[in-house]
Amino acid sequence: MSNITSPKVTLKSVLRLNNNDFKEFICGWGAAVINVSITFPLNKIIFRQILEGVPAGTALQQLSQEGIKLLYRGILPPLCQKTLSVSLMFSTYEGCKQRLYMLTENELVAKILAANMAGAAEAILTPLERVQTLLQDWRYYDKFKNTPHAFKYLLTNYGVAECYRALVPIIYRNGCSNLMFFTLRDQSKVLLGNQESLLTNFICGALIGGFTSTVFYPMNVIKIHMQSKIGEPFEKFTAVSREIYISRNKSIRWFYKGVHLNYIRSFISWGIINASYDFLKTIIF
């Protein structure tokens, strides 16, 4: 008799949260805190390149002129967003994959559904990405003092919906990138076998994360252009894609402006996350 009809595997028992779910969440949270603290300045340079289409040297010069006081301006939203996002990403994926496999007995279906469920769960945190975009945009330096002030302004003047601007590209990005990341990550663990170490976990996470981030980089370009606007009518994903394409000399290559630094950041970021996550798992589990 299959597991799905076994008295030991019921829908109630599958859906029930357990101690492992909490442990997965904590491992993801810890890995994200380490990562954000190290990579935020690089992320800010990439943001300038995406928004203004300037070379890395120009973006770095702009930040240097603004000084160290403004370098970490806007770190609270990504610190909150990334820690919760990575926590949800790992815990939701691992938890859903295990439960879906018990119900369907199909590993591929379980992975695809789990990756998209994790992506949808992460999309709940869109308001934090929204505020991060506004705080990093130099055009709003005088308008918003800090994260609470930005949230208060958006909610008071435009409501909750404004906080979820660019939700569609975020859902697309999250679901697709999660599926690619976890598929390649699981495969790397099979290939490495018992040869896993802190260094190999860093290298695997770095290569996989850098590749995945590069593939779906245009989604971030579209997202940032949507979120850099306040109070304007909500735009369709296809309309914004076309607007960027036309404004950047009708070249797909311009969708990848800043991708080199993004790859470096993702390489470092996902290397840290992957190595830290697996290291914390060996301690907590």
Side-chain angles (χ1 to χ4, degrees):
M1 185 177 294
S2 66
N3 283 340
I4 192 171
T5 58
S6 170
K8 294 183 179 180
V9 182
T10 63
L11 184 60
K12 184 178 179 179
S13 65
V14 168
L15 294 177
R16 185 185 299 119
L17 293 176
N18 56 51
N19 194 41
N20 285 346
D21 295 320
F22 177 72
K23 289 180 178 179
E24 292 280 0
F25 187 90
I26 292 300
C27 290
W29 182 87
V33 168
I34 296 170
N35 164 61
V36 173
S37 301
I38 295 172
T39 61
F40 184 77
L42 184 58
N43 181 65
K44 202 161 188 179
I45 294 174
I46 295 167
F47 175 86
R48 288 291 177 89
Q49 287 192 274
I50 290 175
L51 188 62
E52 301 182 21
V54 297
T58 303
L60 180 60
Q61 186 178 16
Q62 289 176 353
L63 293 179
S64 298
Q65 291 173 347
E66 291 166 9
I68 191 69
K69 186 177 180 180
L70 293 175
L71 181 61
Y72 277 88
R73 175 184 165 90
I75 193 176
L76 183 58
L79 190 61
C80 296
Q81 185 270 332
K82 196 65 177 179
T83 52
L84 290 174
S85 177
V86 174
S87 300
L88 286 172
M89 173 183 166
F90 279 104
S91 60
T92 304
Y93 175 78
E94 295 293 345
C96 287
K97 184 181 71 171
Q98 180 184 12
R99 291 168 171 83
L100 288 166
Y101 181 71
M102 291 169 65
L103 291 172
T104 65
E105 297 185 337
N106 187 312
E107 187 176 3
L108 179 60
V109 170
K111 284 184 177 182
I112 292 173
L113 292 176
N116 282 279
M117 286 179 178
E122 290 177 76
I124 295 172
L125 305 173
T126 295
L128 293 171
E129 287 195 55
R130 171 76 170 119
V131 171
Q132 179 189 356
T133 298
L134 296 177
L135 289 177
Q136 289 185 337
D137 191 338
W138 64 270
R139 292 172 298 183
Y140 299 112
Y141 274 2
D142 295 330
K143 193 175 186 68
F144 302 119
K145 298 177 182 178
N146 48 40
T147 299
H149 182 230
F151 268 123
K152 182 179 179 180
Y153 178 87
L154 293 178
L155 291 172
T156 302
N157 294 281
Y158 303 104
V160 175
E162 184 66 34
C163 294
Y164 281 88
R165 188 181 286 268
L167 181 63
V168 171
I170 288 175
I171 290 177
Y172 287 165
R173 179 201 65 191
N174 289 355
C176 295
S177 61
N178 281 355
L179 180 58
M180 179 177 288
F181 177 82
F182 282 115
T183 299
L184 294 175
R185 183 175 184 270
D186 291 344
Q187 189 60 37
S188 71
K189 289 187 174 295
V190 172
L191 294 174
L192 286 172
N194 296 324
Q195 298 179 8
E196 282 189 81
S197 66
L198 197 63
L199 179 60
T200 56
N201 284 333
F202 176 86
I203 293 173
C204 288
L207 292 173
I208 294 169
F211 175 72
T212 302
S213 176
T214 299
V215 171
F216 297 105
Y217 184 77
M219 293 293 181
N220 277 332
V221 174
I222 295 168
K223 180 209 76 167
I224 286 176
H225 276 266
M226 284 183 170
Q227 292 186 335
S228 64
K229 301 171 183 177
I230 302 177
E232 297 183 18
F234 279 59
E235 302 166 296
K236 292 184 178 179
F237 177 81
T238 52
V240 176
S241 302
R242 178 177 174 79
E243 177 188 328
I244 297 172
Y245 176 70
I246 293 174
S247 67
R248 299 196 172 184
N249 300 320
K250 296 185 177 180
S251 172
I252 297 296
R253 182 174 63 86
W254 281 90
F255 273 90
Y256 286 88
K257 190 73 173 178
V259 74
H260 300 93
L261 275 179
N262 180 74
Y263 181 84
I264 294 172
R265 182 205 62 180
S266 296
F267 184 91
I268 298 170
S269 176
W270 283 105
I272 294 171
I273 289 173
N274 197 52
S276 300
Y277 174 78
D278 283 334
F279 175 73
L280 290 172
K281 282 191 72 172
T282 61
I283 297 174
I284 295 178
F285 280 81

